[in-house]
Amino acid sequence: MKQLFLLTCGLALLASAAAQAPTGSVLVRDGTVLTVTDGTLENTDVLVVDGRITAIGSDLDTPAGAEIIEAGGMYVMPGIIDAHSHIAISNVNESSAPVTAQVTVGDVLNPYSIALYRALAGGVTTSHVMHGSANVIGGQNETIKHRWGAVDPEGLRMAGAPRTIKFALGENPTRVHGRGNNLRPASRMGVEYVLRETFNKAIRYQEAWDRYEAQVRSNRRAVPPAYNGQLEVMADILSGDIIVNCHSYRADEILMLMRVLEDFGVDRVTFQHVNEGFKIAPELAAFGAEGAAASIFADWWAYKFEVYYSTAYNAAILTRNGVLTSINSDSAELNRHLYHEAGKSQKYGGLTDNEALALITINPAKQLGIGDRVGSIEVGKDGDLAIFDAHPLSIYAVPQKTIVDGIVYFDIDRDADDMRLRVDPEAAIDTAILHTHDDHHQCLHEGSIDLYGFLANE
Amino acid sequence: MMLRYRPVLLLCALMACVQVGWAQVDSGNEIPEVTRTYALVGATVVQAPGRVLERATVIIRDGLITAVGRDIPIPFDAEQVAADSFTVYSGFIDGLSHAGIPVPKEQPRAERPDDPGFPSDIEAGILPGLDVRTLLKADDKSLADLRKAGFTAAHVVPRGRMLPGSGAIILLAGDDIHELVYSGETSLFAQLASARRMYPGTDMAVIAKMRQLFQEARRRQRIEQLYAEDPTGISRPEYDPTHYALFPVIDGNRTVYFHTEDVLDVHRALALQEELGFSMVLTGFSGSFDAVDKLKDAQIPLLLTLDLPEDKRKQNDSQSADIDSTEAQPTDIAGGLPEVATPAYDPLLRVQDLNDLEEEKRNLEARRDAERKAYLESAGALASAGMAFGFTTLDTKASDVLPNVRTYVENGLSEDVALAALTTSPARILGVAATMGTIDVGKVGNLVVATGNIFDKDTEIRYVFVDGRKFEMEAAQRGARTSDAEAGSAVGTWSFTASTPDGDVVGTMVVNDDLSGTISMDVMEITFTDATFEDDVLSFSAATAEIGTISVTVTITGDEFEGVASSEVAGSIPFSGQRVNDP
């Protein structure tokens, strides 16, 4: 019975994977190529054919139909990967229960979200769009590529990317469910209890189905146990099919989750935020077979009590202790300058250019289980590239072109004022009001920061 | 004086009016109709899209169409409707509607369940076993409103959230629900409508819950089958109305009508359908022009929304017109004002200066206009792609329904396809093509009688026949238009004499500008609204507590009138009068 369910699901997945994403061919000529995994190559061409990088070298021939981009004096880096984002989805939190593993943001992708295009304008080609942090065990996430203009949500999915799920520790789940609804968890202890209880239920659930499937071979009249979509997902975590991504700040609760996962035999986890990761970097590196990974903010903290003990040296400390580390945005604004965020790891901790770039390319790719496909410029990998007019770790760098699967989706020379795919036919037309220098201060007094006016005038 | 009817039939017609009007007041005291046979004579009869008879006759008897064609003998007992200037269509069918389902009164904010992750199915809006027939109200105003737009039948579903219940096909006339209902349990209604502050509280949770319900229903059905074969050794399956209501859907015996509000919903509904494998009719899909190919590939029956975006530019214009002039033109929702020549949308526009707001604004407005245009053209686009579809009025005010169909026609939908979407297509999708959707002998007597081509803006609906019952449209707009143009000669104060069997009764009749008014006598005063005045004939009906509904039809000649007043108590009596003064 369950096999039948799984077969149905599998067929549906196959059907969606069969819808091939469009690919293109492009020759990026004569740029400074920051491969991330193989150093920096001066005056080098990168050839992408039908969406894949097929050659890196000099004086490459242009295949018929390939677009040519002259990148002399420019810097070519792998498309940036944002390991923690909430763009291009219609829902973020299903906050009604402490455990909602059965929901997935992949069911509510929104390809019309302008945030996709804006991220492209910051060189980002892949985002890990996540469920929110209201629940101890939240929904499943989705790894998407920024194929702007694909109006079918299926067109955003990165087919074949491993499944991931959102967990959350600390203040958020205890506030929403404990203080908000007088339910477990009301404390960090309660969070651990919910985790262990749910994993134990999943073990019993899987046992019941295994027992039934054994029985039904000899007894046609065997009665199948109840179907539970939530415990199906939990059982998939236990069998290693889903990578855990856990919202977390404090060292003690991070250690707690590692103990819980160890007890249940789960060894792939990426901690998100991890502001106190610097305290337990060796412990993170020692977890499981490959270590626990960390996806962090460069320098963002103190927005609530559990996030006060933080440092901008976090990325450097984690990296130098052998923790697979990425820097993420968690924001539709910050994702447009993740290269700045990566650069901060050089100011605070002195990471090398390659180490800094890895924080937003190959490292998040590995965390998401797509490190063999994206995250560096290598023959055989996806043709996802970001081209800058200066070194991307320079504060003066401006993204010029962003390429996904060999197709140019952002080009600063073709960046019209209105790049939205759809508009509301009934919406009022909003136009920005440009404040003069004098009334800028007035705005601040009124409590609103008019960034537009600020930039235009300062 | 031009009489439409022979005098005896005038009386019949008046009596029929009385009967219908009165039944709405108190259905316990009904008197039989004089005849259930009607002859529409000399009309342009559009039997089906593309199948037109000129100067033809349609006979309806006992609720059915019994003859269509030229040179049809008129039955002796038929009420004749001189239809030589009229066009007759098969009654329109609403593919999905809440007609007849009262809007629930504003509820006080419901208690949130103690554990919002596990609300009851009722709290969560999961009621697949709820039968819409138990919710129907025969006197709900929405039925008459939809009838005024030419609709005679509708597929109705309960209001609610993700799974509100099962649908029924109803006829849009009847004194109680037994007369309304044509067939029940015809569908399962579904929509991506989350519960409030409880699970499933988001679209993604609604989708997850649908999966859970279908998978678990399959399992429970399996256990039911095992138990039915032989209960020995199997625990008794528990009573479970929610999952059991899904069994016919799993078996393919009941179709899910999945209502979608936008193109994102469309993708989500199609993905669910593909994954769970249920039979589906997709409804709504406003603005789905991005998904035309996908809709076509899905080969799923479609019921397109009649909700169209409003023209914001026009609204702004008319607001400023209100300021500029007191003679602002009335605007209808879609067509209307002459197009203002505006520059086309330039998708590549990059203003040179941050301060060039005007240029940017102009372009954004042009884009918004283009986007709206795409909505208006969406029906034509579906048809051009070779897809047949019906209409749903689910998100549309009844008074916007016909204007918006016309807007689709003005924007590229052929009249034949539009008519099919109102008649034959929904009949086929709903499985009632054997009895509805065309004007053919043996089908249900559902007709629309219009003053001309129904897709012309000025065409009015004069009669709607539902299940062989005649409804004369005393539309407010007709009254309003008449009052503008020619109400003048009826407006004023009149003295009247009514010659009853017990002697003459005298009194005063006042007709106001808006064709409302009063009849005052010693014993009582009667108030009427919505009178009609056309070709010098003033007519109105008014409900009274004392003598039931009275109907008056008089012909005004100068400062005198002559005619008939009738009521079910007093019968028909001569009614004449003279003008006392102008208003």
Side-chain angles (χ1 to χ4, degrees):
Chain A
M1 194 72 182
K2 190 185 175 194
Q3 283 157 339
L4 185 71
F5 298 154
L6 293 177
L7 184 67
T8 318
C9 296
L11 285 175
L13 283 177
L14 278 180
S16 58
Q20 282 285 318
T23 59
S25 300
V26 60
L27 178 65
V28 182
R29 252 197 326 225
D30 210 23
T32 300
V33 178
L34 308 166
T35 65
V36 179
T37 48
D38 190 26
T40 299
L41 311 172
E42 305 283 348
N43 304 109
T44 297
D45 301 348
V46 178
L47 178 62
V48 177
V49 176
D50 297 335
R52 291 284 174 85
I53 298 171
T54 55
I56 302 166
S58 50
D59 298 324
L60 298 179
D61 290 334
T62 316
E67 183 177 348
I68 297 170
I69 295 171
E70 296 296 350
M74 300 213 190
Y75 288 78
V76 184
M77 71 171 287
I80 294 169
I81 297 167
D82 189 353
H84 187 136
S85 172
H86 303 290
I87 63 169
I89 46 179
S90 299
N91 309 138
V92 175
N93 271 301
E94 174 59 39
S95 55
S96 57
V99 181
T100 58
Q102 68 274 22
V103 310
T104 169
V105 297
D107 282 334
V108 290
L109 294 176
N110 175 8
Y112 297 104
S113 167
I114 191 67
L116 286 167
Y117 181 77
R118 290 174 178 160
L120 282 164
V124 183
T125 54
T126 297
S127 284
H128 182 224
V129 288
M130 303 187 75
H131 189 277
S133 53
N135 334 57
V136 179
I137 300 175
Q140 298 161 76
N141 314 308
E142 189 73 29
T143 302
I144 62 167
K145 282 204 174 190
H146 295 189
R147 300 188 186 101
W148 181 241
V151 290
D152 188 329
E154 292 300 321
L156 293 184
R157 283 188 216 278
M158 183 169 179
R163 296 164 68 194
T164 69
I165 192 167
K166 180 74 171 281
F167 283 21
L169 311 177
E171 289 181 16
N172 287 8
T174 52
R175 183 185 68 243
V176 172
H177 306 285
R179 275 201 276 152
N181 292 333
N182 202 25
L183 294 169
R184 261 193 304 269
S187 67
R188 289 171 204 270
M189 295 181 291
V191 171
E192 178 174 359
Y193 174 86
V194 170
L195 286 164
R196 289 182 181 277
E197 184 192 40
T198 311
F199 275 128
N200 278 319
K201 278 186 189 166
I203 290 171
R204 286 200 297 277
Y205 178 79
Q206 191 59 51
E207 284 170 354
W209 274 96
D210 291 346
R211 204 161 43 240
Y212 163 74
E213 273 155 20
Q215 276 174 9
V216 80
R217 274 186 224 118
S218 54
N219 174 17
R220 198 187 70 83
R221 286 170 50 74
V223 172
Y227 177 86
N228 185 318
Q230 178 181 106
L231 296 179
E232 289 277 329
V233 174
M234 295 307 297
D236 288 346
I237 298 173
L238 290 170
S239 60
D241 293 340
I242 302 179
I243 304 170
V244 173
N245 278 258
C246 188
H247 162 107
S248 54
Y249 296 107
R250 271 174 39 171
D252 55 350
E253 62 184 6
I254 293 167
L255 292 171
M256 175 275 284
L257 183 64
M258 288 198 288
R259 282 195 300 272
V260 170
L261 294 178
E262 237 161 14
D263 288 351
F264 287 93
V266 177
D267 73 347
R268 288 196 77 179
V269 59
T270 297
F271 287 94
Q272 299 282 339
H273 311 321
V274 210
N275 285 44
E276 293 187 14
F278 64 94
K279 294 182 179 176
I280 50 166
E283 288 81 358
L284 286 166
F287 177 79
E290 296 176 2
S295 187
I296 64 172
F297 294 131
D299 59 354
W300 193 18
W301 58 75
Y303 41 88
K304 57 182 159 177
F305 189 73
E306 64 183 351
V307 205
Y308 270 72
Y309 202 154
S310 300
T311 171
Y313 288 88
N314 207 16
I317 293 170
L318 288 164
T319 298
R320 292 291 164 80
N321 277 277
V323 178
L324 181 65
T325 303
S326 63
I327 287 180
N328 68 55
S329 78
D330 194 8
S331 152
E333 186 281 319
L334 206 60
N335 65 354
R336 289 181 271 164
H337 48 96
L338 275 169
Y339 45 97
H340 290 162
E341 301 303 292
K344 289 173 182 171
S345 69
Q346 300 193 295
K347 162 80 176 167
Y348 303 102
L351 291 187
T352 66
D353 284 1
N354 252 341
E355 283 173 325
L357 289 175
L359 294 170
I360 53 171
T361 54
I362 189 67
N363 290 1
K366 286 177 180 167
Q367 290 173 348
L368 298 172
I370 53 177
D372 56 337
R373 294 169 60 187
V374 292
S376 62
I377 299 180
E378 291 179 64
V379 170
K381 283 198 161 181
D382 291 1
D384 296 359
L385 305 169
I387 303 173
F388 289 75
D389 62 352
H391 194 291
L393 294 171
S394 157
I395 196 67
Y396 298 107
V398 176
Q400 302 296 306
K401 289 182 171 57
T402 306
I403 300 166
V404 181
D405 301 328
I407 295 174
V408 179
Y409 284 99
F410 167 75
D411 182 340
I412 200 165
D413 297 323
R414 285 182 275 165
D415 178 38
D417 287 348
D418 184 4
M419 290 300 293
R420 294 171 298 173
L421 296 179
R422 290 279 290 271
V423 296
D424 180 346
E426 293 184 335
I429 302 294
D430 285 328
T431 43
I433 304 301
L434 192 60
H435 290 280
T436 64
H437 189 79
D438 289 337
D439 55 33
H440 168 60
H441 294 286
Q442 191 64 34
C443 281
L444 287 177
H445 285 305
E446 287 165 8
S448 68
I449 298 170
D450 176 26
L451 191 62
Y452 188 65
F454 181 77
L455 291 174
N457 289 295
E458 299 302 312
Chain B
M1 170 174 159
M2 196 190 96
L3 272 181
R4 285 230 172 88
Y5 313 105
R6 285 178 288 166
V8 63
L9 286 177
L10 173 63
L11 181 60
C12 291
L14 284 169
M15 295 303 281
C17 281
V18 167
Q19 191 268 322
V20 170
W22 199 67
Q24 286 165 350
V25 176
D26 178 7
S27 62
N29 244 336
E30 211 169 315
I31 58 167
E33 289 158 289
V34 170
T35 178
R36 293 196 64 205
T37 305
Y38 298 93
L40 282 74
V41 183
T44 300
V45 177
V46 183
Q47 288 186 270
R51 190 148 60 90
V52 183
L53 293 175
E54 297 292 347
R55 294 181 300 285
T57 295
V58 182
I59 309 291
I60 293 178
R61 181 186 287 278
D62 294 335
L64 296 174
I65 298 166
T66 54
V68 189
R70 297 227 208 165
D71 307 322
I72 303 263
I74 311 291
F76 74 94
D77 60 342
E79 176 192 330
Q80 277 197 53
V81 178
D84 49 304
S85 61
F86 293 159
T87 304
V88 182
Y89 298 92
S90 182
F92 303 154
I93 302 167
D94 185 351
L96 189 71
S97 171
H98 291 316
I101 320 293
V103 181
K105 292 217 165 54
E106 194 71 27
Q107 297 284 340
R109 193 163 155 135
E111 281 287 302
R112 196 178 189 201
D114 287 341
D115 188 346
F118 300 89
S120 69
D121 285 345
I122 292 173
E123 288 170 310
I126 300 166
L127 298 144
L130 179 62
D131 189 327
V132 73
R133 289 174 294 187
T134 63
L135 307 171
L136 278 171
K137 290 273 176 286
D139 57 356
D140 196 70
K141 185 172 171 293
S142 58
L143 295 169
D145 288 345
L146 206 49
R147 199 167 56 218
K148 275 184 202 159
F151 285 81
T152 56
H155 170 222
V156 292
V157 292
R159 301 172 195 275
R161 301 201 170 275
M162 66 177 276
L163 290 171
S166 70
I169 295 168
I170 63 166
L171 294 162
L172 295 180
D175 300 328
D176 61 41
I177 64 160
H178 303 98
E179 288 182 35
L180 289 179
V181 173
Y182 178 84
S183 59
E185 296 192 319
T186 53
S187 61
L188 177 72
F189 183 44
Q191 49 190 354
L192 293 174
S194 53
R196 287 195 184 124
R197 302 184 304 143
M198 65 184 82
Y199 190 81
T202 54
D203 285 359
M204 63 182 167
V206 169
I207 291 168
K209 185 69 183 181
M210 294 256 191
R211 283 191 186 108
Q212 169 68 36
L213 288 166
F214 273 79
Q215 301 288 38
E216 177 63 5
R218 288 209 173 96
R219 184 190 75 94
R220 295 195 184 199
Q221 192 185 37
R222 169 79 186 140
I223 298 172
E224 268 304 308
Q225 285 161 353
L226 292 173
Y227 196 77
E229 279 168 24
D230 176 6
T232 314
I234 294 179
S235 300
R236 180 177 63 84
E238 64 185 84
Y239 171 65
D240 167 26
T242 300
H243 292 96
Y244 278 39
L246 296 175
F247 288 179
V249 179
I250 293 169
D251 293 338
N253 296 328
R254 192 171 300 170
T255 297
V256 176
Y257 279 64
F258 211 123
H259 189 61
T260 56
E261 289 186 350
D262 58 24
V263 68
L264 290 175
D265 274 6
V266 169
H267 290 295
R268 291 162 193 173
L270 287 172
L272 257 185
Q273 186 273 335
E274 189 172 293
E275 180 183 338
L276 301 177
F278 48 79
S279 158
M280 180 167 91
V281 172
L282 195 67
T283 78
F285 49 94
S286 174
S288 61
F289 36 85
D290 281 347
V292 167
D293 290 343
K294 186 159 176 175
L295 286 173
K296 189 172 186 190
D297 292 344
Q299 296 192 308
I300 280 171
L302 303 171
L303 295 169
L304 176 63
T305 185
L306 285 166
D307 184 30
L308 290 174
E310 290 175 31
D311 188 345
K312 290 294 168 186
R313 193 191 284 269
K314 189 172 291 175
Q315 284 182 353
N316 292 342
D317 288 351
S318 64
Q319 276 164 17
S320 48
D322 281 341
I323 296 163
D324 295 337
S325 152
T326 52
E327 292 178 318
Q329 294 295 312
T331 58
D332 60 26
I333 183 122
L337 287 181
E339 290 299 319
V340 184
T342 49
Y345 164 59
D346 173 8
L348 301 177
L349 178 75
R350 290 175 76 161
V351 293
Q352 294 306 306
D353 187 313
L354 286 174
N355 292 301
D356 192 0
L357 289 179
E358 275 315 305
E359 174 72 352
E360 193 173 0
K361 188 174 178 208
R362 181 205 62 74
N363 204 43
L364 289 171
E365 283 176 345
R367 174 151 203 212
R368 188 182 61 189
D369 292 349
E371 185 88 5
R372 179 171 170 273
K373 184 83 172 155
Y375 279 78
L376 309 190
E377 290 171 347
S378 58
L382 290 172
S384 299
M387 279 176 274
F389 54 88
F391 287 126
T392 169
T393 67
L394 205 63
D395 301 317
T396 316
K397 270 196 315 203
S399 56
D400 288 345
V401 165
L402 209 45
N404 287 0
V405 172
R406 289 167 178 163
T407 300
Y408 277 142
V409 170
E410 283 162 25
N411 288 277
L413 182 66
S414 77
E415 292 186 359
D416 276 354
V417 176
L419 182 59
L422 289 165
T423 55
T424 50
S425 291
R428 191 188 63 253
I429 291 167
L430 296 170
V432 296
T435 52
M436 295 184 214
T438 66
I439 304 179
D440 284 304
V441 171
K443 293 204 172 181
V444 175
N446 288 349
L447 300 175
V448 180
V449 182
T451 55
N453 182 343
I454 194 74
F455 301 110
D456 289 348
K457 217 170 87 183
D458 296 329
T459 298
E460 293 176 14
I461 292 173
R462 279 299 153 81
Y463 304 98
V464 173
F465 289 82
V466 181
D467 206 14
R469 288 172 73 161
K470 189 182 85 170
F471 293 87
E472 188 166 358
M473 293 298 123
E474 308 282 0
Q477 69 210 46
R478 277 177 61 196
R481 177 167 307 201
T482 309
S483 69
D484 284 348
E486 49 180 298
S489 55
V491 172
T493 304
W494 305 74
S495 65
F496 70 79
T497 305
S499 308
T500 76
D502 299 327
D504 289 354
V505 174
V506 294
T508 306
M509 177 171 83
V510 177
V511 180
N512 300 319
D513 281 342
D514 61 356
L515 291 177
S516 65
T518 52
I519 298 175
S520 311
M521 293 164 277
D522 279 343
V523 288
M524 62 191 293
E525 180 169 290
I526 300 166
T527 304
F528 62 87
T529 55
D530 292 337
T532 62
F533 183 62
E534 208 160 11
D535 293 338
D536 297 327
V537 177
L538 175 77
S539 57
F540 56 84
S541 297
T544 69
E546 293 85 348
I547 55 170
T549 297
I550 92 156
S551 298
V552 172
T553 301
V554 296
T555 302
I556 294 171
T557 314
D559 291 331
E560 293 184 2
F561 68 74
E562 215 171 314
V564 192
S566 60
S567 80
E568 60 269 38
V569 175
S572 184
I573 53 174
F575 190 70
S576 60
Q578 291 174 319
R579 192 186 296 276
V580 175
N581 63 339
D582 289 331

